[in-house]
Amino acid sequence: FGDLVTYLNKLSFKTPPFLLLVKCEPQDDSNNATTSENSDAIEVPLHFNKFSKDRASFEINYWKENSGTAWSERVILELLFYSLNGERWGQSTNWLDESRSICTWKGITCQLPESYYLAVDNEGKYHSGSAAENCISDLSSTNTNNAPPEEEFVHIHDYANYFTPEKGAVVTKIELPSNNLTGTLPSELYMLPYLRLINLEENQIHGTIPTTLGLTQKLRFLNLGFNSLTAQIPLQMANMTFLDELLLNNNQLTGTLPSLLTLLPRLLFLDLGYNSLTGTIPPTFGCMGLIEIIYLEHNQFIGTIPPEIKEMEKLRILGLSYNLLSGSLPSSAIGSLVALESFEAENNRLTGSIPKELFQLDYLETLKLQNNFFGGHLPAFDNDEEEDDDFDSEVPKLEKLYLGNNYLTGSIPPNLGRTLVGLRELVLSHNLLTGSIPEEMADLKELRQFDLSSNELTGYVPEGLSNLIFLYHLNMTNNKIVGPIPKSLCEKLWLNSGHVAMFGCDALLCPPGKWHPFGMASEYGGCAHCYSNLDSVYLGQTSCHSNDDEGVFLYGDLNGDDVLSQREILHLLYLTTNGKLWGEKWKDWKNYRKNECELTGILCGNEGQVTEIYLRGAKLCSGCHANDSLCCRGIPSELGMLSYLEMLDLSLSSDLVGTIPDDIAELERLKVLDLSGCHSLTGTIPNAIGKCKSLRVLNLSKIFSLRGTIPPSLGNLQELVDIDLSTNELTGSLPRTISQLRNLVKLDASFNFLTGSIPRSFGNLDHLEYFFLRGNKIGGSIPDSIGLCTSLKTFDLTDNNMTGQIPPSLGSIGPTLEELYLALNSFSGT
């Protein structure tokens, strides 16, 4: 390509991200340049158009020297930068800096190919390759473990400014997690021949996994989890024979699990969880003889668990939860997993009995099999004489045992308490267990969580449970247990999230003749009376077995008097919006005994009525997942019972979910309603809001997902001064009824999807000073009557579909009109 006569100003574009560089023929005597149809041509990365002539020449020569199979490592990293929109990265120190070695670029590690580490001798000199091995040997001779102390070695990355690619260092690691990477992965990463680690997790990378990634045969660690990758896992990844860890979790991958992938000889850690993978788990799973950790949860795998897993003698963690697996557990194969520490397969369709072999695994710590279809007696603890020998010793390692929501029958064997002595969490809820609760449960000295709810258990509550000093959650509800509850147990005030301190024994089991949806008093209310079932002798009932009584439970009723006090309503607001994470400023809300008028953000009238709730910036529903209704239920409708409330400000709570409750309409004294910046709210503006006759300020701006139309009932609110509905998804036209609001000073409906035209009757708004409709789809012309709005200061119609002439009446408004914005419309005339 000689002196690059054409250079880059004559490059022809091909499919991005490449350009076509054409070799120019020698010029003839007539000084006319020609290009042969058969002239040499190569594709170069698109960003070559940013190179100097010397840089371009160097890179092309590098390509030629490598027989046209690889670009330089700098070019490949530049491709990565441009492919993943590097200009938007959170951190990109030194990237693209021509004066700095690529080894100094943020997230890039270089090493000498002869050795992973650089040895430092006693004189402070650095050694690599064979010299480093000799140095290491000398240092090791003084170490009893025959391993050099960590401080004697310096990772090459720490000296990246000294050891550059020009001095033999090569790129071995790319680590850019949680760095706002967007775009797709370049297919040229395989041109980094010494790459051993790629960590790009928790970004926004989309598209497919390049098939060429399978050519990075020295790669040992690949983490692309928590992105938006789609399509199937490439079969070519089976060529990555040095791979130790593969993490592709939390993406949108589809298709089946490639059998060839399970043949990777060195694989230790495989995480494909939280995708949409289908098909069966291939029998070749058993070929992963070195595998230690497997996560396949939250996919759509079907079929049975292959018995070939028995070959995984080093397997420590197996996660198969939330799939569609069926059949029984392969008992003999399970018993062969001698290193197993955690087995989770909840939320599947597994059947049969639970193998006793699971409880003979010496290192098993966690066993979660809830929400399946297992039947039979509790495994490994039957008291039949022929089975006693199998379980005559303790199983000290098992800490978590979850077998709830199955079809287990029989009684709870007493020797469970003597065998599983290390148990910390035991969940047997929602089964068909019978008999009494064994006294031997008191032998589980390490127990923290104990759930026996929704079975057919009978008898009394063992007093020995009060000796479990670490126990913090105890649920025995919805059984046929009779009283009394041991007094010593009711004195454990910390039990059940401290509810025992609030409700005493009722926080363990509702007394006979009372009920609660949870079977015990909670922060959502005390136990309610069963008026039609007063003769019941059972504790902890979750219903009254009467349709008339089912609907009378009053959430938030802490004292059980069937009436919500002001304090109970505010406590309900605290609960339904995850008040414990509101922030330090609001921590006093946790104490439900504190008078409501003393709470931060609450203002009361002279007679103690709550008049203001000011929780601006309190981070309502913070820490809750979008679909977790138990964590956040949104604005409670019970707020409508605060009949003296004049201000409700929940603004800037971006995690607050749910809708605006219709019961807001009951607040006839409400003057200010501010929900602005509550980005996670949905739904519509309730038409019933027109009943809030005293409302002066309505701010529902920047909710983003507020839809529907602007309710005409707003015209009933004669006291309204300020309406802000901007930055939502409202549709329809402006209601004519708004023209009835003669006290209105500000109307902002900008950045919605409003259509129709501006009603002529808006000329009646003689107090209107600020009128914003920017960024809608409003058509028609500006009505002449707008000139009657003589108080108007700002009028913004930018970016709509308005036509016609600008009415001369605008000029009659006079000097009060300070700002007029009419751009991006289709007005005509002069």
Side-chain angles (χ1 to χ4, degrees):
F1 291 79
D3 59 358
L4 298 174
V5 174
T6 57
Y7 188 42
L8 299 172
N9 61 329
K10 292 187 178 180
L11 290 177
S12 302
F13 282 88
K14 203 176 181 183
T15 304
F18 294 97
L19 298 169
L20 182 65
L21 180 61
V22 180
K23 178 180 179 180
C24 293
E25 297 296 328
Q27 294 180 345
D28 58 22
D29 295 337
S30 63
N31 203 30
N32 291 324
T34 61
T35 302
S36 169
E37 292 182 2
N38 298 320
S39 60
D40 296 334
I42 64 169
E43 287 185 356
V44 299
L46 182 61
H47 68 274
F48 265 48
N49 59 14
K50 302 177 184 293
F51 289 173
S52 66
K53 180 178 177 181
D54 290 341
R55 170 76 194 283
S57 180
F58 170 83
E59 297 297 353
I60 291 169
N61 286 331
Y62 185 97
W63 172 269
K64 293 173 63 180
E65 291 169 1
N66 285 273
S67 303
T69 60
W71 294 105
S72 71
E73 292 189 329
R74 180 180 287 266
V75 168
I76 302 306
L77 292 180
E78 289 168 341
L79 263 175
L80 181 70
F81 182 88
Y82 289 116
S83 297
L84 298 179
N85 297 299
E87 67 278 0
R88 302 176 185 174
W89 292 359
Q91 299 183 47
S92 57
T93 306
N94 293 340
W95 276 77
L96 306 188
D97 189 339
E98 292 280 353
S99 66
R100 305 297 295 270
S101 161
I102 58 175
C103 300
T104 68
W105 292 5
K106 175 67 178 179
I108 300 301
T109 299
C110 295
Q111 294 172 329
L112 296 177
E114 293 85 2
S115 174
Y116 278 107
Y117 292 91
L118 184 72
V120 184
D121 64 18
N122 294 329
E123 297 179 1
K125 297 180 180 179
Y126 306 116
H127 304 270
S128 63
S130 59
E133 294 177 4
N134 295 334
C135 182
I136 291 172
S137 177
D138 293 340
L139 291 170
S140 300
S141 62
T142 60
N143 192 299
T144 56
N145 295 324
N146 199 32
E150 288 287 336
E151 60 269 18
E152 300 293 350
F153 299 93
V154 181
H155 199 280
I156 191 73
H157 178 61
D158 297 331
Y159 292 84
N161 287 319
Y162 182 81
F163 293 98
T164 63
E166 292 75 20
K167 297 181 181 179
V170 293
V171 174
T172 58
K173 296 181 181 181
I174 301 176
E175 298 175 277
L176 296 168
S178 306
N179 202 37
N180 196 36
L181 276 61
T182 59
T184 59
L185 290 170
S187 60
E188 290 76 17
L189 286 177
Y190 75 94
M191 294 184 185
L192 299 174
Y194 292 95
L195 197 59
R196 288 173 169 81
L197 181 148
I198 300 176
N199 184 0
L200 303 179
E201 71 169 337
E202 293 189 15
N203 284 291
Q204 301 171 48
I205 303 171
H206 62 270
T208 61
I209 301 173
T211 58
T212 55
L213 202 57
L215 298 175
T216 53
Q217 295 185 6
K218 292 189 177 182
L219 199 65
R220 294 188 174 181
F221 179 93
L222 176 59
N223 188 348
L224 300 177
F226 293 96
N227 280 287
S228 299
L229 297 169
T230 56
Q232 300 185 19
I233 301 172
L235 291 173
Q236 291 82 351
M237 296 185 73
N239 294 323
M240 305 163 71
T241 54
F242 279 87
L243 200 61
D244 293 329
E245 300 186 29
L246 176 59
L247 294 88
L248 303 177
N249 55 293
N250 295 81
N251 279 286
Q252 300 167 27
L253 299 173
T254 56
T256 59
L257 177 60
S259 298
L260 291 177
L261 198 64
T262 64
L263 300 180
L264 293 172
R266 298 171 54 110
L267 199 60
L268 303 175
F269 187 173
L270 176 63
D271 190 350
L272 303 178
Y274 292 87
N275 281 289
S276 298
L277 299 174
T278 56
T280 60
I281 300 175
T284 51
F285 243 44
C287 298
M288 295 191 290
L290 298 179
I291 195 77
E292 295 182 4
I293 300 174
I294 298 176
Y295 290 118
L296 300 180
E297 73 272 21
H298 288 270
N299 280 287
Q300 299 171 34
F301 289 116
I302 61 174
T304 60
I305 300 173
E308 287 80 2
I309 64 172
K310 66 182 180 181
E311 305 297 335
M312 300 177 177
E313 295 183 354
K314 297 183 181 296
L315 188 64
R316 296 188 294 109
I317 298 175
L318 179 58
L320 303 176
S321 303
Y322 292 90
N323 280 287
L324 303 172
L325 298 173
S326 57
S328 60
L329 295 177
S331 56
S332 60
I334 291 288
S336 300
L337 303 178
V338 293
L340 197 63
E341 298 173 5
S342 175
F343 179 34
E344 300 185 12
E346 70 263 36
N347 287 83
N348 278 285
R349 299 174 179 178
L350 299 171
T351 57
S353 60
I354 300 174
K356 63 183 181 182
E357 287 82 358
L358 278 168
F359 300 91
Q360 296 170 333
L361 297 174
D362 293 336
Y363 298 100
L364 190 65
E365 297 178 1
T366 300
L367 178 59
K368 294 186 176 182
L369 300 176
Q370 69 267 32
N371 296 312
N372 279 288
F373 296 91
F374 291 112
H377 289 188
L378 280 169
F381 308 108
D382 292 321
N383 289 321
D384 297 337
E385 293 182 1
E386 62 270 19
E387 295 190 3
D388 281 347
D389 293 339
D390 291 336
F391 308 101
D392 56 358
S393 60
E394 295 180 350
V395 184
K397 288 283 187 178
L398 192 60
E399 295 183 356
K400 300 178 181 180
L401 178 58
Y402 285 71
L403 302 177
N405 283 84
N406 281 290
Y407 293 89
L408 299 175
T409 58
S411 61
I412 302 174
N415 60 346
L416 184 152
R418 295 192 297 266
T419 305
L420 305 182
V421 294
L423 269 186
R424 296 188 174 199
E425 300 173 18
L426 176 58
V427 177
L428 301 175
S429 59
H430 294 273
N431 278 288
L432 303 173
L433 299 175
T434 56
S436 61
I437 303 174
E439 291 283 353
E440 287 80 0
M441 292 297 100
D443 294 333
L444 298 173
K445 301 298 184 182
E446 300 294 325
L447 202 60
R448 271 78 168 165
Q449 179 179 350
F450 191 19
D451 191 346
L452 299 174
S453 61
S454 298
N455 280 285
E456 298 292 330
L457 298 172
T458 57
Y460 298 90
V461 178
E463 187 168 2
L465 294 181
S466 61
N467 296 326
L468 301 177
I469 59 176
F470 297 113
L471 191 65
Y472 65 82
H473 179 77
L474 176 61
N475 191 347
M476 302 171 288
T477 63
N478 201 27
N479 282 287
K480 297 179 179 179
I481 296 174
V482 296
I485 301 174
K487 181 180 178 182
S488 56
L489 197 59
C490 299
E491 293 173 351
K492 306 293 183 183
L493 303 183
W494 62 86
L495 269 177
N496 293 348
S497 301
H499 298 161
V500 172
M502 297 172 62
F503 301 103
C505 292
D506 284 11
L508 298 173
L509 293 166
C510 284
K514 289 189 175 183
W515 73 288
H516 189 287
F518 304 158
M520 54 186 171
S522 73
E523 53 192 0
Y524 283 99
C527 299
H529 290 282
C530 286
Y531 296 104
S532 63
N533 198 20
L534 298 178
D535 296 331
S536 173
V537 297
Y538 298 130
L539 303 172
Q541 296 303 293
T542 57
S543 69
C544 286
H545 307 292
S546 167
N547 291 331
D548 292 337
D549 284 330
E550 286 290 346
V552 300
F553 186 82
L554 190 61
Y555 277 94
D557 183 14
L558 298 178
N559 57 14
D561 62 357
D562 296 332
V563 177
L564 288 183
S565 66
Q566 292 186 135
R567 185 64 186 92
E568 289 172 330
I569 293 172
L570 293 178
H571 187 65
L572 194 58
L573 172 63
Y574 177 82
L575 295 178
T576 59
T577 57
N578 202 28
K580 61 185 178 183
L581 292 183
W582 283 3
E584 183 68 18
K585 179 179 178 180
W586 321 92
K587 63 180 182 180
D588 56 341
W589 280 65
K590 183 178 181 180
N591 181 8
Y592 84 101
R593 289 190 174 90
K594 188 168 185 176
N595 184 276
E596 59 267 26
C597 297
E598 298 176 359
L599 295 174
T600 302
I602 298 299
L603 185 66
C604 293
N606 294 331
E607 297 183 8
Q609 305 98 336
V610 173
T611 57
E612 293 186 12
I613 300 177
Y614 185 79
L615 298 179
R616 183 180 179 87
K619 298 181 180 179
L620 278 66
C621 295
S622 175
C624 298
H625 295 295
N627 297 320
D628 189 353
S629 60
L630 294 179
C631 181
C632 181
R633 300 186 180 186
I635 304 171
S637 60
E638 288 80 2
L639 287 181
M641 301 170 66
L642 298 174
S643 56
Y644 288 87
L645 193 65
E646 297 179 2
M647 173 190 282
L648 177 59
D649 189 338
L650 309 180
S651 58
L652 303 182
S653 290
S654 59
D655 295 317
L656 179 61
V657 299
T659 60
I660 303 172
D662 288 339
D663 300 78
I664 291 291
E666 303 300 322
L667 301 174
E668 295 185 356
R669 291 182 172 86
L670 191 66
K671 296 179 180 179
V672 177
L673 176 60
D674 191 347
L675 302 177
S676 60
C678 295
H679 306 324
S680 300
L681 283 177
T682 56
T684 62
I685 304 173
N687 189 59
I689 200 170
K691 296 181 180 179
C692 299
K693 301 290 187 178
S694 302
L695 198 63
R696 294 175 58 82
V697 176
L698 175 62
N699 192 345
L700 304 179
S701 64
K702 297 181 180 178
I703 293 178
F704 296 157
S705 296
L706 199 61
R707 299 180 178 178
T709 60
I710 300 174
S713 62
L714 288 182
N716 300 330
L717 307 179
Q718 296 297 311
E719 300 297 322
L720 264 178
V721 174
D722 188 336
I723 302 176
D724 193 343
L725 308 176
S726 62
T727 318
N728 283 293
E729 298 181 1
L730 299 173
T731 55
S733 58
L734 291 167
R736 298 179 184 274
T737 55
I738 289 181
S739 61
Q740 302 171 17
L741 305 177
R742 304 300 295 270
N743 293 312
L744 193 64
V745 174
K746 175 185 174 183
L747 173 59
D748 190 348
S750 303
F751 303 108
N752 280 285
F753 299 96
L754 298 176
T755 55
S757 59
I758 300 174
R760 293 182 56 82
S761 57
F762 271 34
N764 297 330
L765 301 174
D766 49 5
H767 285 83
L768 189 65
E769 297 181 10
Y770 304 96
F771 190 9
F772 301 96
L773 293 176
R774 175 188 290 254
N776 281 285
K777 299 179 180 180
I778 295 175
S781 59
I782 301 175
D784 291 337
S785 60
I786 205 71
L788 300 176
C789 299
T790 55
S791 301
L792 198 60
K793 295 181 179 179
T794 301
F795 189 27
D796 189 350
L797 299 178
T798 305
D799 195 11
N800 276 284
N801 298 327
M802 304 202 70
T803 58
Q805 297 187 359
I806 300 174
S809 60
L810 276 176
S812 64
I813 294 178
T816 59
L817 187 60
E818 301 172 354
E819 298 176 284
L820 178 61
Y821 302 98
L822 304 177
L824 301 178
N825 282 286
S826 300
F827 292 116
S828 59
T830 58

